[in-house]
Amino acid sequence: MIQGEKLFRRLTGRATEQLPGSSGLQSRTDGCMQLLLDQQGRVIDASGLQRHGLGRDAGDATPRLLLDYLVSGSTLALEGGPADWVGHCLDLDFQGPGLNVLHTRGWVQPQADCWLLQLLDIGDLLRDSQQAGSREQCAQLALSIGEQLRQCSAARLPEVMHEALCRVAQQWRVPCVALAVRSGTPLGWRLYSAYHGFDAPALWTTGQTLGEVLDGVDAKRPRSINADVERTRNPLLNSLFGNADGWLVPYCDQQGQSVWLLLGFYPATQHPSLMSESDWLLVCAAMAGPLQDRLREQQHEQQKERMQALQELLGTGWWEWLQPSRQLQLAPQLSASLLPQLEPSALTREAWLALFHPVDRDELSSGFNALLEHGKTLMLCARLHQPQNTQPTRWYRIQGQVLGTGASRRTVGYMLDISDIKNQQLQAAAAHARLDNLIASSPAVIYVQRYDEGALLPAFFSDSLQPLLGWSLDDCAGAALIDRIHPDDREQYFERTRQLLREGSTRSRFRLRDRAGDYHWLLDEAKLLRDDLGLPVEAVGLWLDITETTEAAERVKHSEERYRILVEDSPAMICRYLPDLTLTFGNRPLANYLECAPELLPGINLGDWLSAEQRELFERRIASLSPEFPVSTAEISLQLPGREHAWWVWSDRGVFDAQGQLLEVQAVGRDNTEVRRSQQQLTHGAKMATLGEMATGLAHEINQPLNVMRMAIVNVLKRLSNGDVQIDYLKEKLTRIDSQIQRAARVVDHMRVFGRRSEIEQQVFNPVQALEGTLALLGEGLRCKGVEIHAEGLACSVQVRGHSDQLEQVLINLLVNARDALLSKRETDRDFQPLITLSAETDGNCVRLWVQDNGDGIDPRLLERIFEPFFTTKPIGIGTGLGLSVSYGIIDNMGGRLSVSNTGPGARFCVELPVVEE
Ligand code: ADP
């Protein structure tokens, strides 16, 4: 009852007018009902209830009001019987068919022995009252939500929105609520926030994208989603609402931007009494309006941040001309980059112009004036003035325009740092110019041939065509180009075109006639360019004039041929061999000498023809070759099977790689065996001459011991015949005889060695022994002739390589020559004391043997000639003129040197020989 009274108090004026008392009820016949009740509250008769489908149960004769008619909740307020209810206003809810409830208000009046219960249908009044309450709640909720959404921080906005959805859901018992916003193509609609009750299915999730599903929906009024209808009308929308009933509330702001409030599992049409369409629009607007504002605000902030970042990245910024102060205001980041040392502030026109290079300043000034005075749009590029700055030039593009008119007229613009582009442009232009220059000055022509139904027609030639060949593009059109190709090369040119079309690229060489009629060798390289469909469009290629190179190559080929013939026909033996002495090539003379075919030479090892000693020498000589001293010449001795020794004069040239490593040796040889043989004979002859020369001294040398022995024997015999022989005396005589025999034997032995022809192989020996041997041979004879001999420093013990008998022959020659010079001097000067001094010394590397006399020396004019063969100053029959020349050859052969000088009293000969390790 108390609830009923409250309800009435809240009713509108119209409603109260209609319910003043029972008299008014009579007039409302449409909603009026009467029930006759007995004392116990049982319904005896009812009228008007049937209109609402509430009939008395036929099975029960007197149904009870409380138990059989009213909804259970409604009976709670009634106690006792009808007598107790008199004077009270009764709010009774009748149970209608199905879930329908009939709300009534009435009072009890006594009637005879029963009670008349008059009832009035107040369903619509109740609904109005509920709606008003709900509307008020709705307005309050909307206000509170709107405020919260407006006031919260940007970071909390999603959270607050979620709370708002939660409140809406709880307030109107909506299982699923979500707010969809337009997130821009291509994503379409997106759920900004979604909420579902703890016992409701998660129909939607926050952030879910919806595509274009809400695009076609009328955004002017709410839309009820009826699963049965939508299934065929809009299946997408139906599936968005989980194939269930729902409610879709739009919001549209002034910019036409719309937001949708989605209510899921909510058959709104069943609750029209609580929330009208406008209520829902209000709730939706309370959420969507602030959200739109906040999102727009956020977008604006982000846009601003992006713009700032962009300006900083691009080195760009706005500027504005402030007319009242006549100053130019720069964007902070622009100001910081242009005037890093100054606080951002406005600049005067002059100060701003002074920032730019004098070259561009006038143009900028005039453009700026035109903008300010005539409103002419400004657009130009200018570089900054950077005195004493080594950094690349900084370029700016400056644009300006006038906005608005009259009092709201503003002059604004921006400056964009285009240094990168500008400097690249300049570099590209320079590179382009260089390339143009290069092409113009190089023997290259760039060309383009247009593809036309399988044919390639000349479409472009670089300017270098004219200076190179004298033709222009027109001269090469059509068949004219083919005419200018050398007849022998035409087939090649056609094949080049076929290959280009077939494989997409080609490289060929052909000759093209120039305007003067001369042919040029061209290296042609071309590529076929295709369009997106793979069809040929044009061929781009390059002609390189390789006439000189081709001719040079021809010349080299010819010259190689000539050299090959030269090598083949050369009488000298020419070969190439590897550092391990394996032949890689040998010419015909070499093959002839070795009695085999030239092709059999490669693979043969040169070392096979050398004795171990010769080979060692040969290899040592090859190892001494270096890039600085690549050539070495020597006389080598070869042991060819079945032949006597051969002597070759052999010249080697080493070929080295970049690291100085010996790759191979090229050698030229000449057979020197004949010369060598005659030299040997000459030496032998000279030796014989020396031998004859010595005959006298030798006779004396042998006579001397013979005389001593004869005297000893005579004396012994005399003693024997006297019978006066003592053993000691006999021993002494025999010992003397024995020593004289040994002396004679030594001389004879020496003579034997001397008479032999020198061995081919050289030996190692002590040169001082040769000196001593010479003294033993000649010493006594010289002394007999009154020539004194001094020997000094003969104790040194070193080794040299050669033939000891040959060295003795040399020393004998020198002693005999000295003797001759001394004796001839004594012939003119009787008091003259002839003296020969022999000495030896060594410094470790070489040993020097000196033979010095105190004669008249050698006439300086003859010094150069005395080593010549057959040069002599001695009378015919005495001098041969061979001694010194043969001696020179022998010492040279031992790797030494024979020299002479007039130092001291007479001539001084020096034999210098290299020392070898023992
Ligand atoms: P030959 O002794 O048969 O003349 P050599 O070749 O031995 O031939 O000597 C050539 C010449 O050198 C001699 O004829 C002589 O004039 C000169 N000669 C050699 N040795 C001496 C010397 N010790 N003093 C002066 N002249 C010399």
Side-chain angles (χ1 to χ4, degrees):
M1 288 313 285
I2 292 160
Q3 191 189 356
E5 278 164 4
K6 272 188 197 160
L7 174 69
F8 272 97
R9 272 202 300 278
R10 278 190 201 158
L11 284 174
T12 58
R14 185 183 63 85
T16 41
E17 270 168 34
Q18 285 180 337
L19 289 169
S22 58
S23 59
L25 290 171
Q26 302 300 329
S27 61
R28 288 183 58 102
T29 50
D30 55 335
C32 206
M33 292 155 285
Q34 281 102 25
L35 294 175
L36 270 182
L37 305 175
D38 64 8
Q39 296 302 333
Q40 283 76 39
R42 272 194 288 262
V43 180
I44 304 161
D45 191 19
S47 65
L49 268 185
Q50 291 82 354
R51 264 195 305 118
H52 299 283
L54 304 171
R56 199 177 49 164
D57 196 343
D60 196 345
T62 50
R64 286 158 302 170
L65 173 70
L66 296 184
L67 294 176
D68 298 326
Y69 281 93
L70 300 184
V71 245
S72 49
S74 187
T75 60
L76 291 175
L78 288 181
E79 281 175 8
D84 304 318
W85 303 343
V86 178
H88 289 283
C89 191
L90 302 176
D91 278 358
L92 299 176
D93 296 342
F94 286 81
Q95 186 65 57
L99 288 174
N100 285 343
V101 174
L102 178 65
H103 300 283
T104 62
R105 172 159 296 180
W107 53 95
V108 181
Q109 291 173 244
Q111 185 138 39
D113 57 344
C114 53
W115 299 90
L116 176 68
L117 175 60
Q118 302 240 46
L119 291 166
L120 198 63
D121 179 358
I122 58 159
D124 52 347
L125 286 179
L126 209 56
R127 217 167 19 252
D128 281 355
S129 157
Q130 275 178 345
Q131 266 182 354
S134 170
R135 191 164 298 139
E136 193 182 324
Q137 276 182 341
C138 165
Q140 274 176 3
L141 189 69
L143 200 70
S144 142
I145 286 176
E147 250 170 47
Q148 281 180 351
L149 285 171
R150 264 191 202 90
Q151 282 164 9
C152 71
S153 67
R156 281 203 66 234
L157 187 63
E159 197 185 324
V160 173
M161 178 54 81
H162 195 257
E163 281 167 15
L165 291 183
C166 169
R167 286 170 71 183
V168 169
Q170 284 168 359
Q171 177 73 32
W172 290 287
R173 298 180 207 285
V174 188
C176 298
V177 193
L179 201 70
V181 293
R182 179 101 216 170
S183 54
T185 45
L187 296 172
W189 293 93
R190 168 177 75 89
L191 293 184
Y192 181 80
S193 191
Y195 170 84
H196 61 91
F198 71 94
D199 52 350
L203 187 56
W204 301 306
T205 51
T206 299
Q208 181 182 343
T209 52
L210 309 180
E212 311 295 330
V213 63
L214 293 168
D215 270 355
V217 187
D218 177 18
K220 286 200 180 63
R221 45 180 307 220
R223 156 124 178 216
S224 165
I225 306 292
N226 184 316
D228 297 332
V229 179
E230 299 300 344
R231 194 167 297 132
T232 49
R233 194 169 70 163
N234 194 340
L236 276 179
L237 204 56
N238 194 40
S239 92
L240 173 64
F241 279 84
N243 304 321
D245 288 351
W247 186 238
L248 198 52
V249 190
Y251 168 77
C252 227
D253 67 1
Q254 280 114 352
Q255 271 111 22
Q257 194 78 30
S258 47
V259 175
W260 290 94
L261 178 65
L262 286 74
L263 309 180
F265 303 115
Y266 184 73
T269 42
Q270 291 177 19
H271 312 274
S273 57
L274 289 181
M275 286 288 282
S276 66
E277 284 191 357
S278 62
D279 292 337
W280 278 118
L281 285 173
L282 182 71
V283 171
C284 181
M287 290 190 283
L291 177 69
Q292 286 283 59
D293 290 348
R294 295 299 299 265
L295 289 180
R296 212 168 277 137
E297 194 182 301
Q298 275 179 10
Q299 255 178 9
H300 184 68
E301 272 304 309
Q302 283 172 354
Q303 183 76 1
K304 214 166 101 186
E305 278 170 18
R306 277 201 291 268
M307 280 300 288
Q308 267 178 0
L310 193 71
Q311 288 191 13
E312 267 161 38
L313 282 175
L314 288 179
T316 184
W318 53 262
W319 57 262
E320 179 159 5
W321 175 249
L322 307 172
Q323 185 58 32
S325 59
R326 301 191 59 73
Q327 282 194 319
L328 195 90
Q329 174 105 42
L330 295 177
Q333 56 270 66
L334 187 63
S335 170
S337 111
L338 288 176
L339 305 156
Q341 59 279 67
L342 295 181
E343 283 293 304
S345 64
L347 291 174
T348 62
R349 182 178 176 281
E350 286 65 36
W352 182 60
L353 286 174
L355 293 174
F356 297 94
H357 198 281
V359 179
D360 304 322
R361 220 174 274 161
D362 287 347
E363 193 187 352
L364 182 60
S365 170
S366 131
F368 195 59
N369 281 347
L371 172 70
L372 291 185
E373 287 161 21
H374 310 294
K376 201 169 161 223
T377 308
L378 172 71
M379 158 72 190
L380 51 83
C381 298
R383 68 210 98 163
L384 289 190
H385 190 211
Q386 299 165 280
Q388 293 118 35
N389 195 344
T390 49
Q391 284 172 359
T393 317
R394 278 174 66 192
W395 282 88
Y396 275 94
R397 190 163 84 196
I398 304 155
Q399 278 185 270
Q401 60 180 3
V402 173
L403 301 177
T405 51
S408 62
R409 178 186 155 111
R410 292 170 68 197
T411 309
V412 293
Y414 73 88
M415 285 173 63
L416 175 65
D417 188 341
I418 52 162
S419 312
D420 283 355
I421 304 169
K422 203 74 185 178
N423 289 332
Q424 271 170 18
Q425 261 178 6
L426 292 176
Q427 277 172 8
H432 205 272
R434 277 200 297 274
L435 198 66
D436 279 352
N437 247 335
L438 199 71
I439 293 172
S441 59
S442 76
V445 176
I446 293 173
Y447 65 83
V448 176
Q449 287 181 314
R450 191 164 42 78
Y451 177 84
D452 186 19
E453 294 183 342
L456 290 174
L457 310 174
F460 164 81
F461 283 104
S462 62
D463 293 344
S464 44
L465 179 68
Q466 185 69 30
L468 193 71
L469 297 169
W471 304 120
S472 67
L473 175 62
D474 294 339
D475 297 328
C476 298
L481 180 65
I482 307 296
D483 282 348
R484 301 210 163 88
I485 292 173
H486 195 285
D488 294 350
D489 298 343
R490 273 179 206 158
E491 186 44 48
Q492 218 167 316
Y493 183 78
F494 294 137
E495 176 51 32
R496 160 242 178 234
T497 307
R498 281 195 291 272
Q499 190 188 19
L500 183 58
L501 292 175
R502 202 173 50 235
E503 291 166 22
S505 67
T506 175
R507 185 187 163 97
S508 60
R509 281 151 45 112
F510 50 82
R511 278 162 289 180
L512 198 71
R513 201 174 64 239
D514 65 11
R515 191 171 279 280
D518 297 325
Y519 278 100
H520 291 248
W521 270 105
L522 298 181
L523 176 70
D524 173 64
E525 280 201 351
K527 250 194 152 70
L528 191 67
L529 305 182
R530 298 171 186 275
D531 63 10
D532 295 347
L533 301 173
L535 299 172
V537 178
E538 58 184 22
V540 181
L542 182 93
W543 285 344
L544 202 63
D545 189 342
I546 51 161
T547 313
E548 272 182 28
T549 332
T550 311
E551 284 173 358
E554 288 288 315
R555 281 198 295 274
V556 167
K557 208 170 141 196
H558 285 143
S559 109
E560 264 178 10
E561 183 62 19
R562 278 202 299 277
Y563 279 110
R564 197 185 61 74
I565 294 167
L566 208 64
V567 167
E568 279 302 313
D569 296 355
S570 162
M573 295 175 285
I574 297 173
C575 68
R576 293 205 316 264
Y577 59 89
L578 299 176
D580 69 354
L581 309 190
T582 309
L583 279 175
T584 53
F585 164 81
N587 69 348
R588 185 160 294 283
L590 181 68
N592 289 346
Y593 194 95
L594 300 172
E595 296 168 353
C596 71
E599 35 308 345
L600 297 178
L601 288 176
I604 293 177
N605 196 298
L606 272 182
D608 296 346
W609 305 329
L610 301 171
S611 68
E613 201 176 341
Q614 279 277 320
R615 181 175 182 148
E616 192 198 325
L617 277 176
F618 194 93
E619 282 173 343
R620 204 180 306 154
R621 205 168 48 79
I622 296 304
S624 72
L625 297 179
S626 67
E628 292 78 31
F629 303 102
V631 180
S632 155
T633 303
E635 190 171 33
I636 59 171
S637 157
L638 290 98
Q639 295 171 341
L640 297 172
R643 299 218 214 159
E644 63 174 349
H645 282 94
W647 289 91
W648 288 356
V649 175
W650 193 251
S651 221
D652 295 294
R653 168 178 278 274
V655 180
F656 297 86
D657 65 10
Q659 283 74 44
Q661 196 70 32
L662 181 66
L663 295 178
E664 65 161 21
V665 183
Q666 298 173 348
V668 181
R670 172 171 54 80
D671 181 18
N672 204 36
T673 314
E674 279 308 311
V675 178
R676 185 77 186 199
R677 199 171 290 146
S678 55
Q679 251 179 11
Q680 267 179 358
Q681 281 167 357
L682 203 61
T683 312
H684 196 67
K687 197 154 67 179
M688 288 303 138
T690 313
L691 208 57
E693 197 54 59
M694 288 177 349
T696 331
L698 203 69
H700 174 82
E701 200 65 14
I702 299 288
N703 255 344
Q704 205 56 5
L706 286 178
N707 282 337
V708 172
M709 284 190 288
R710 199 174 63 225
M711 231 140 84
I713 289 166
V714 168
N715 287 340
V716 169
L717 287 174
K718 208 184 271 173
R719 286 284 180 103
L720 278 175
S721 60
N722 290 344
D724 177 20
V725 183
Q726 288 169 359
I727 288 294
D728 288 346
Y729 177 79
L730 205 57
K731 266 189 191 164
E732 190 252 319
K733 287 296 168 198
L734 284 174
T735 309
R736 173 175 278 209
I737 290 167
D738 183 46
S739 77
Q740 293 304 311
I741 288 171
Q742 277 180 26
R743 182 179 165 188
R746 215 169 43 238
V747 171
V748 170
D749 192 41
H750 210 86
M751 289 301 294
R752 225 178 38 235
V753 170
F754 197 74
R756 205 171 57 213
R757 284 180 75 167
S758 292
E759 298 283 333
I760 296 292
E761 295 297 342
Q762 293 184 329
Q763 316 289 332
V764 173
F765 65 96
N766 186 348
V768 177
Q769 279 173 1
L771 201 56
E772 283 168 350
T774 310
L775 270 181
L777 205 62
L778 294 186
E780 207 50 48
L782 287 171
R783 272 191 281 276
C784 285
K785 292 232 156 83
V787 178
E788 202 180 331
I789 297 179
H790 277 185
E792 296 167 2
L794 299 191
C796 72
S797 150
V798 286
Q799 300 287 321
V800 296
R801 187 184 294 277
H803 303 287
S804 65
D805 62 325
Q806 287 187 345
L807 181 59
E808 273 185 29
Q809 188 185 344
V810 171
L811 293 170
I812 288 167
N813 264 331
L814 296 180
L815 280 179
V816 168
N817 276 347
R819 182 203 64 192
D820 289 350
L822 293 174
L823 293 184
S824 86
K825 183 173 179 180
R826 207 179 47 191
E827 272 174 18
T828 51
D829 180 1
R830 286 274 142 207
D831 301 331
F832 174 62
Q833 282 298 314
L835 171 69
I836 297 177
T837 312
L838 296 177
S839 54
E841 65 171 37
T842 176
D843 61 3
N845 288 327
C846 64
V847 56
R848 290 182 195 86
L849 308 175
W850 308 96
V851 179
Q852 168 143 35
D853 62 60
N854 61 347
D856 291 330
I858 298 161
D859 186 336
R861 288 166 303 176
L862 303 181
L863 265 179
E864 281 182 9
R865 296 195 54 205
I866 58 166
F867 293 109
E868 284 175 13
F870 309 110
F871 175 81
T872 178
T873 55
K874 293 171 190 169
I876 298 166
I878 295 174
T880 60
L882 283 175
L884 283 181
S885 80
V886 169
S887 297
Y888 188 92
I890 288 170
I891 299 302
D892 186 54
N893 211 22
M894 289 171 74
R897 208 164 73 93
L898 176 61
S899 58
V900 63
S901 61
N902 286 323
T903 42
R908 190 187 194 216
F909 282 84
C910 174
V911 176
E912 193 179 320
L913 292 168
V915 168
V916 294
E917 297 292 320
E918 274 187 72

